Amino acid sequence: MNELQDLYREVILDHNRSPRNFGELDDADRIVEGVNPLCGDKMTLYLKLDGDKVEDVRFTGTGCAISVASSSLMTERIKGATTTESLELFERIHDMLAAPDFDVATANADLEKLAALSGVREYPTRVKCASLAWHALKNALTGSEAKVTTE
Amino acid sequence: MITSMSPSKPRGRDLITDIASLRGDFPVLQQQVRGRPLAYLDSAASAQRPQAVIDAMVAQDSHNHANVHRGVHELSERSTDAYEGARTKLRRFVNAESTDEIIFTSGTTESINLVAASLGTQILAPEDEVLVTRMEHHSNIVPWQLICERTGAKVVPAPITKEGELDLDGFRRCLTKRTKIVAITHVSNALGTINPIKELIALAHDVGALVLVDGAQAAAHLPIDVQDLDCDFYALSGHKMFGPTGTGILYGKATLLDSMPPYKSGGEMILTVSFEGTRFNTLPHKFEAGTPNITGVVGLGAAVDYLSAIDPDALADHEHELLDYATDAIKEIPGARLIGTASSKAGVVSFLIDPIHAHDLGTIVDREGVAIRTGHHCAMPVMEFFGIAATARASFALYNNRDDIESLLKGIRIAQEIFK
Ligand SMILES: Cc1ncc(COP(=O)(O)O)c(C=O)c1O
């Protein structure tokens, strides 16, 4: 039960229950769809850029608590950030979720609320749930593909 | 070679009726997972193996292994006997008329692909239709889509009801003189529904269509009698009936198999090869190109022996008792929604516990040592029909008991506590 509480931290449960920035964005200039074929989860990420800045970001979709919370936390964090900062964040989150040598203790300092996603490290089958939104973000910013999957 | 005996009732042998006693035959179940006794409720994905199957494979590898059908030496002879002996067991298991009608494959998926590629190419023309149902596993949809793309034919899905049963009137309406092949599942892996396939086969034959039955989910639970069903093809997987992965069969009526072109080519499936032309081997070897999964097939034969020693009525009672117990308990849980409530069901309970996503539920019950499947179960059209992305699925086999279900219920309570 304790380990489960490490995965399902209050922040995660809260963002799952009431996801922030949920809904479509009418004047988005980047729309990227993300799917996790393993569990059928789908999310769509809407980005509105103002020069180098993420002016607005929203998402829609269905998914497990980890994937919904990760999307919600991500949008909250990158709204107002620069694209460079957002891409750096992508790398940092990527490491936090899966890199073997990542020092979780350092995560709280810069990642703040996002550090709650570090519980996923102990659940390899769930890393894809947490990373789906981030892959969608990366694609939205680098413009490689309009559709991402975690496979 | 004709036998009128039902495959499940071998004479002169007492069948096992004490199903609860069988759990001890499965070494994998005698362990703790995450500090709890393992409750393995994922047999619809892959069933566990009894010691007898493991032993048969070890014995084959330890004493008898050699290639089959090619050597004059002792080990080759032993391996060939074991391999062909398994074919005889499988013939009896599905009550086929002849061993020529039993093709060893790597499983249901390959069996269906074989028929789609070989028969599909042979008989499908533009405007023809392949009728499937909306409850099929992807492996009984996609091979037909691919062959239809190549031949100009069309895949038509027969509708299902909100209970997850086949809509019989809808099925009838889909059958026309354009229907050349009907591919239906015996038991749905996502919903548990047992289809009235004998009736469906007769209806399909009335319009002149050939019928393939996907028996992947039936073999471990129901007696199969291909002659009584009068199906043209029947596919099954070894790993869903307590045998090894990478094994399975395609049963096909000899007259059909005989007239169908080979599917894979190479060694074993030929009589003579020259650059002027090649003569194909006779059945069943025509469809078994290359060195087969010999040890696996021996294990599959042992799995058939294991299953055939069990009284099918006692087995059905045991599984139904578990199904009813789990269904009743899950139904009572606040927020529960059962997906698949057909009147005739195998041991599969697909469900959702609002507002918990199936994936989260799967992770949480796993911490109680409970193995269930979560996701779309390779049946995305089913999920789409019910307007959902995924379900949690508990599936039962002969070795499960009420304690397994209690562990699942406890896991669900913990999940509800977390997500309250
Ligand atoms: C109904 C059904 N058909 C076909 C298959 C495919 O079987 P295999 O993966 O063994 O080829 C499965 C397995 O999940 C199944 O449940």
Side-chain angles (χ1 to χ4, degrees):
Chain A
M1 185 76 176
N2 273 340
E3 276 173 80
L4 280 170
Q5 273 158 355
D6 198 41
L7 179 66
Y8 294 109
R9 295 183 202 179
E10 199 41 52
V11 181
I12 305 262
L13 294 171
D14 171 42
H15 277 256
N16 176 52
R17 223 177 290 121
S18 1
R20 322 295 198 266
N21 304 308
F22 192 82
E24 296 179 11
L25 189 59
D26 288 338
D27 54 350
D29 28 45
R30 304 274 166 87
I31 300 176
V32 172
E33 214 182 293
V35 293
N36 182 347
L38 196 70
C39 54
D41 287 355
K42 282 193 192 107
M43 69 96 61
T44 306
L45 184 68
Y46 302 83
L47 269 187
K48 181 164 173 49
L49 297 176
D50 177 13
D52 188 36
K53 244 202 170 92
V54 178
E55 188 186 319
D56 204 358
V57 52
R58 294 175 76 78
F59 77 102
T60 58
T62 56
C64 64
I66 306 299
S67 105
V68 171
S70 181
S71 304
S72 170
L73 286 162
M74 180 185 85
T75 57
E76 196 179 58
R77 175 70 180 249
I78 64 164
K79 199 190 262 190
T82 66
T83 53
T84 316
E85 284 163 354
S86 301
L87 285 170
E88 279 166 12
L89 198 58
F90 168 87
E91 296 298 338
R92 185 96 172 108
I93 296 291
H94 197 265
D95 284 353
M96 177 177 76
L97 295 177
D101 54 357
F102 183 85
D103 181 5
V104 180
T106 68
N108 288 321
D110 64 322
L111 292 175
E112 299 165 8
K113 265 197 245 174
L114 285 170
L117 290 169
S118 66
V120 173
R121 288 175 64 82
E122 299 304 315
Y123 296 79
T125 58
R126 305 302 299 277
V127 170
K128 287 177 177 175
C129 309
S131 62
L132 179 62
W134 296 89
H135 283 288
L137 172 67
K138 186 177 182 196
N139 278 14
L141 293 175
T142 56
S144 40
E145 278 187 36
K147 187 156 187 159
V148 296
T149 90
T150 51
E151 285 302 287
Chain B
M1 279 259 226
I2 297 177
T3 162
S4 57
M5 273 193 308
S6 153
S8 51
K9 302 254 188 220
R11 249 195 317 244
R13 198 147 54 107
D14 283 335
L15 294 172
I16 297 163
T17 53
D18 180 8
I19 306 300
S21 70
L22 299 173
R23 188 177 175 103
D25 296 339
F26 292 79
V28 81
L29 300 177
Q30 322 302 318
Q31 67 178 306
Q32 300 228 321
V33 165
R34 307 198 190 281
R36 313 285 150 115
L38 168 63
Y40 189 77
L41 296 174
D42 197 19
S43 298
S46 200
Q48 300 296 345
R49 278 136 223 165
Q51 192 64 50
V53 168
I54 298 167
D55 288 347
M57 294 173 73
V58 170
Q60 170 65 20
D61 283 345
S62 312
H63 305 293
N64 303 328
H65 176 71
N67 212 330
V68 290
H69 305 135
R70 331 204 154 155
V72 291
H73 56 78
E74 166 73 16
L75 291 194
S76 175
E77 207 169 287
R78 280 192 222 153
S79 284
T80 304
D81 286 350
Y83 184 79
E84 291 305 325
R87 199 186 306 275
T88 302
K89 291 173 187 183
L90 267 300
R91 179 198 69 72
R92 239 183 270 129
F93 184 67
V94 299
N95 197 31
E97 195 174 329
S98 150
T99 49
D100 289 353
E101 301 178 311
I102 305 295
I103 315 292
F104 284 120
T105 66
S106 65
T108 304
T109 302
E110 194 195 8
S111 299
I112 297 171
N113 273 277
L114 189 164
V115 178
S118 172
L119 180 78
T121 317
Q122 189 179 37
I123 69 167
L124 291 175
E127 311 304 317
D128 284 346
E129 292 179 356
V130 176
L131 179 60
V132 300
T133 77
R134 221 196 150 110
M135 71 173 87
E136 297 309 313
H137 187 279
H138 295 165
S139 65
N140 202 21
I141 299 175
V142 185
W144 303 114
Q145 288 176 327
L146 289 183
I147 201 67
C148 283
E149 253 170 45
R150 273 197 270 149
T151 56
K154 200 167 97 186
V155 177
V156 175
I160 58 175
T161 67
K162 64 184 193 316
E163 286 76 30
E165 292 179 328
L166 186 67
D167 173 348
L168 269 181
D169 288 333
F171 181 82
R172 273 198 204 92
R173 276 195 301 275
C174 291
L175 282 171
T176 69
K177 60 180 192 311
R178 288 192 300 276
T179 314
K180 292 295 176 318
I181 299 172
V182 174
I184 38 176
T185 196
H186 197 162
V187 176
S188 155
N189 67 310
L191 302 164
T193 311
I194 301 175
N195 281 317
I197 50 166
K198 189 170 173 179
E199 189 184 339
L200 304 180
I201 290 163
L203 288 169
H205 283 166
D206 285 346
V207 299
L210 295 171
V211 183
L212 175 139
V213 179
D214 171 353
Q217 293 296 338
H221 311 285
L222 306 172
I224 299 165
D225 185 333
V226 292
Q227 294 188 72
D228 178 56
L229 293 173
D230 194 29
C231 57
D232 300 291
F233 302 96
Y234 197 100
L236 56 78
S237 294
H239 71 104
K240 307 231 193 230
M241 49 180 283
F242 317 111
T245 53
T247 66
I249 63 159
L250 172 70
Y251 156 82
K253 284 181 181 163
T255 46
L256 288 166
L257 291 174
D258 235 350
S259 66
M260 281 158 53
Y263 150 72
K264 298 187 291 190
S265 53
E268 196 80 44
M269 52 78 72
I270 46 84
L271 279 181
T272 59
V273 174
S274 81
F275 287 101
E276 281 66 56
T278 291
R279 284 178 61 215
F280 299 129
N281 205 338
T282 51
L283 288 176
H285 309 291
K286 181 171 100 177
F287 289 104
E288 293 181 9
T291 300
N293 181 358
I294 302 163
T295 304
V297 163
V298 170
L300 177 56
V304 166
D305 286 342
Y306 186 83
L307 260 171
S308 304
I310 298 165
D311 179 68
D313 296 330
L315 176 60
D317 287 350
H318 174 84
E319 291 184 356
H320 276 119
E321 200 264 334
L322 291 176
L323 175 67
D324 290 346
Y325 187 75
T327 304
D328 290 346
I330 291 171
K331 224 166 35 192
E332 292 307 310
I333 298 173
R337 175 178 172 201
L338 292 168
I339 306 293
T341 49
S343 57
S344 178
K345 270 185 75 169
V348 169
V349 186
S350 237
F351 63 98
L352 291 165
I353 308 282
D354 189 57
I356 310 170
H357 191 280
H359 221 182
D360 295 310
L361 195 61
T363 292
I364 294 167
V365 304
D366 172 57
R367 296 284 139 166
E368 288 300 304
V370 180
I372 58 170
R373 175 86 184 264
T374 64
H376 53 58
H377 317 295
C378 296
M380 287 173 101
V382 172
M383 299 296 121
E384 193 187 10
F385 176 79
F386 286 99
I388 53 183
T391 73
R393 180 189 70 186
S395 53
F396 313 115
L398 49 84
Y399 38 64
N400 289 115
N401 56 31
R402 282 193 181 204
D403 289 345
D404 296 332
I405 296 168
E406 288 304 335
S407 300
L408 170 65
L409 296 172
K410 180 169 173 225
I412 295 174
R413 282 195 296 274
I414 292 172
Q416 288 191 300
E417 193 55 35
I418 293 173
F419 279 86
K420 72 172 180 285

